[in-house]
């Protein structure tokens, strides 16, 4: 097996630990999120360096709407600022931006900046960055099932024609490759309603490192762990 085949082509991150990092450093939670944004940039640069074409980042879950209004407002402000400030850098580095989730729930100004960044970067080819925003996998699968049910009700689809492939084409990630490797920071051993369909055969790597501290060494450790795993996809 050559080096390229041992390297994941799509990384998915559960970026956990911003709040705990802030608490450990006796700093406001917002400071933890701000340092987490720096890690996002570090990971994007490492993906470009390693020639990994896809990375999906769990930026804001549907459950996160249940956090305090102050924290949610701060996170939405950070998202808007990130899109405004980083889009020129995405153009310089060849990054194409995508977004998945119940995007209609985002504040209007955030939706506008997101749409602008996606449109601006749509011809870039070096790295695809997917932001999972207001995202929940159960909600995504439910929406796909509802869409198929509506097609059956309308007579444009027969129940026996529904296949895993067809359901996949009705997910937010339609047209995107499934992740090869899921990386979760902060040591928590759970998936948190993230890409449940798409990670069916992904390898999973959990590190105790909190997201703001996730660095090159952690990144390379995850890639090294992936490289020695034998992926059988249920076969012998």
């Amino acid at each position: 097996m050559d080096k390229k085949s041992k390297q994941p082509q799509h990384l998915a991150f559960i970026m956990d630990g911003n709040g705990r990092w802030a608490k450990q450093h006796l700093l406001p939670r917002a400071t933890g999120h701000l340092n987490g944004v720096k890690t996002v940039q570090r990971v994007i640069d490492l993906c470009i360096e390693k020639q990994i074409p896809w990375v999906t980042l769990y930026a804001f879950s549907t459950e996160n709407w249940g956090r305090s209004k102050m924290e949610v407002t701060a996170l939405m402000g950070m998202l808007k600022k990130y899109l405004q400030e980083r889009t020129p850098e995405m153009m310089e580095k060849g990054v194409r931006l995508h977004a998945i989730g119940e995007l209609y729930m985002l504040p209007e100004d955030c939706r506008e900046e997101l749409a602008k960044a996606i449109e601006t970067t749509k011809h870039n080819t070096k790295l695809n960055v997917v932001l999972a925003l207001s995202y929940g996998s159960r909600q995504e699968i439910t929406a796909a099932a509802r869409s198929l049910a509506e097609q059956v009700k309308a007579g444009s689809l027969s129940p026996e024609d529904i296949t895993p492939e067809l359901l996949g084409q009705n997910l937010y990630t339609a047209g995107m490759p499934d992740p090869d490797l899921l990386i979760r920071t902060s040591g928590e051993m759970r998936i948190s309603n993230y890409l449940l369909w798409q990670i069916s055969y992904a390898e999973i790597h959990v590190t105790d490192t909190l997201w703001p501290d996730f660095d090159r060494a952690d990144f390379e450790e995850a890639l090294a762990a992936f490289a020695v795993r034998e992926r059988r996809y249920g076969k012998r």
Side-chain angles (χ1 to χ4, degrees):
M1 187 182 291
D2 60 29
K3 182 178 179 181
K4 190 71 173 178
S5 63
K6 291 184 179 181
Q7 178 168 284
Q9 297 300 291
H10 187 170
L11 297 180
F13 281 91
I14 298 177
M15 308 181 293
D16 197 15
N18 289 344
R20 270 167 284 176
W21 183 92
K23 186 176 181 179
Q24 286 182 6
H25 291 80
L26 303 178
L27 294 168
R29 285 180 65 86
T31 304
H33 293 311
L34 286 170
N35 278 272
V37 172
K38 295 178 182 178
T39 303
V40 167
Q41 289 308 115
R42 183 158 57 240
V43 164
I44 287 174
D45 289 341
L46 285 167
C47 286
I48 293 172
E49 178 186 323
K50 301 292 185 181
Q51 298 182 342
I52 297 171
W54 287 84
V55 60
T56 299
L57 304 165
Y58 204 4
F60 193 88
S61 72
T62 51
E63 292 76 16
N64 288 157
W65 291 114
R67 295 187 177 185
S68 71
K69 184 176 180 180
M70 181 180 297
E71 184 171 2
V72 169
T73 299
L75 288 168
M76 291 299 109
M78 287 179 200
L79 172 62
K80 180 180 177 181
K81 184 177 181 182
Y82 176 86
L83 294 168
Q84 290 173 331
E85 294 182 350
R86 297 294 182 174
T87 299
E89 185 177 343
M90 287 187 233
M91 294 302 295
E92 291 175 9
K93 294 180 177 179
V95 173
R96 180 179 181 181
L97 186 67
H98 308 259
I100 58 173
E102 297 178 325
L103 304 180
Y104 66 89
M105 294 183 68
L106 300 175
E108 184 178 0
D109 56 345
C110 287
R111 293 200 309 272
E112 290 175 355
E113 289 297 334
L114 182 61
K116 190 185 305 181
I118 290 172
E119 176 65 22
T120 301
T121 63
K122 68 180 182 180
H123 296 301
N124 293 341
T125 59
K126 189 160 286 186
L127 172 66
N128 291 277
V129 173
V130 185
L131 296 182
L133 294 163
S134 188
Y135 176 85
S137 191
R138 287 184 173 184
Q139 290 85 343
E140 175 187 28
I141 294 170
T142 299
R146 186 180 297 116
S147 174
L148 294 175
E150 289 171 349
Q151 293 174 56
V152 170
K153 183 179 180 180
S156 59
L157 180 68
S158 298
E160 58 269 22
D161 293 331
I162 298 175
T163 62
E165 291 74 21
L166 184 61
L167 194 149
Q169 291 167 18
N170 284 267
L171 297 174
Y172 299 141
T173 54
M176 301 178 187
D178 289 339
D180 305 292
L181 176 60
L182 170 67
I183 300 172
R184 178 168 192 144
T185 57
S186 87
E188 300 291 345
M189 302 294 287
R190 57 179 179 267
I191 304 301
S192 298
N193 197 22
Y194 183 50
L195 299 176
L196 300 178
W197 179 277
Q198 296 86 347
I199 63 168
S200 294
Y201 286 101
E203 297 297 317
I204 299 176
H205 179 83
V206 177
T207 174
D208 289 333
T209 302
L210 302 178
W211 179 249
D213 290 329
F214 188 85
D215 59 13
R216 175 183 289 273
D218 296 301
F219 188 90
E220 293 186 344
E221 179 185 355
L223 295 190
F226 177 87
V228 299
R229 295 188 189 180
E230 183 181 355
R231 307 184 72 205
R232 296 190 295 270
Y233 300 96
K235 303 174 184 177
R236 295 185 66 182

